[in-house]
Amino acid sequence: TALAGSLGVFDGAAPAVRSYVDEQQMEVAARVDRFRGGGARVEALLVAADLMAVPVKGAVLAGVLGDDAVWPAPDTRPMSDLDFVVAPRHRAQCGAVLTRAGWALHASTPHEDTFLLWGDGGVGRTDGESAAHNGRVELHPGWTEHLHGYAAPGFDVERRAHRRSDGSWRLDEPSFVVHVIGHLASTV
């Protein structure tokens, strides 16, 4: 809704529709801004601990960690979480870093540990985006997608990621494209 609104799709719509679209644009922008601050803190803590944490999906697409955005209007991209792929052997250490910083473990499964940056873990608003919706960080040990109930492990992210001069990590471009397409394919 926020992207469509920014592209003028709803220009000329009924006032109630236009009002809702405007409100959604503001909520999504505020939420992206919250992720910028939270994501920068998470990444800085993991870099300071010398742990590999590779941001993927929305964090990179929307440029919330300071990269150039791929998404055409970054403040219009809805996001429910920030995803980092971590080395499986460093999973517990990465979680401990976030816990020491004050973020409680919200949930843990074999394929991710979820921490709340803000929010209470409840459902919240159900009629649209909200800056108050829970903001999560998900730490994924290795690269795994879930396709129709099957776990599909990806390739060795440590071979596909590179360390930047500031100590942060990013996937090489072809690997990032494969990750985004693979993730989208798994959800479609």
Side-chain angles (χ1 to χ4, degrees):
T1 303
L3 178 60
S6 75
L7 295 173
V9 171
F10 295 102
D11 290 354
V17 171
R18 188 68 240 181
S19 176
Y20 178 77
V21 170
D22 292 344
E23 184 254 353
Q24 287 297 282
Q25 286 180 261
M26 289 187 298
E27 291 293 330
V28 171
R31 188 167 176 75
V32 169
D33 194 50
R34 287 186 90 173
F35 275 121
R36 279 190 188 103
R41 290 193 321 267
V42 167
E43 188 168 50
L45 288 167
L46 295 171
V47 164
D50 199 28
L51 295 167
M52 186 189 88
V54 184
V56 293
K57 300 190 283 187
V60 178
L61 288 171
V64 299
L65 297 174
D67 303 297
D68 290 336
V70 177
W71 195 257
D75 287 344
T76 66
R77 188 185 188 284
M79 295 172 39
S80 62
D81 56 43
L82 297 178
D83 295 278
F84 288 88
V85 176
V86 301
R89 69 182 181 284
H90 293 150
R91 179 181 188 171
Q93 292 163 294
C94 290
V97 166
L98 297 188
T99 300
R100 279 194 305 273
W103 294 305
L105 180 66
H106 177 64
S108 184
T109 68
H111 64 276
E112 71 186 13
D113 293 325
T114 303
F115 294 82
L116 290 178
L117 291 176
W118 68 85
D120 63 5
V123 174
R125 180 180 175 175
T126 59
D127 68 337
E129 295 292 332
S130 170
H133 280 157
N134 296 308
R136 300 184 318 263
V137 169
E138 294 179 355
L139 301 178
H140 301 275
W143 182 339
T144 303
E145 290 294 340
H146 296 273
L147 305 164
H148 306 289
Y150 297 97
F155 49 79
D156 182 1
V157 74
E158 293 180 71
R159 287 189 319 115
R160 304 292 181 176
H162 63 278
R163 192 168 207 166
R164 303 185 322 172
S165 61
D166 65 358
S168 64
W169 292 84
R170 296 297 184 270
L171 287 175
D172 59 47
E173 285 187 23
S175 299
F176 179 68
V177 170
V178 167
H179 185 268
V180 170
I181 291 170
H183 180 69
L184 291 173
S186 73
T187 57
V188 170

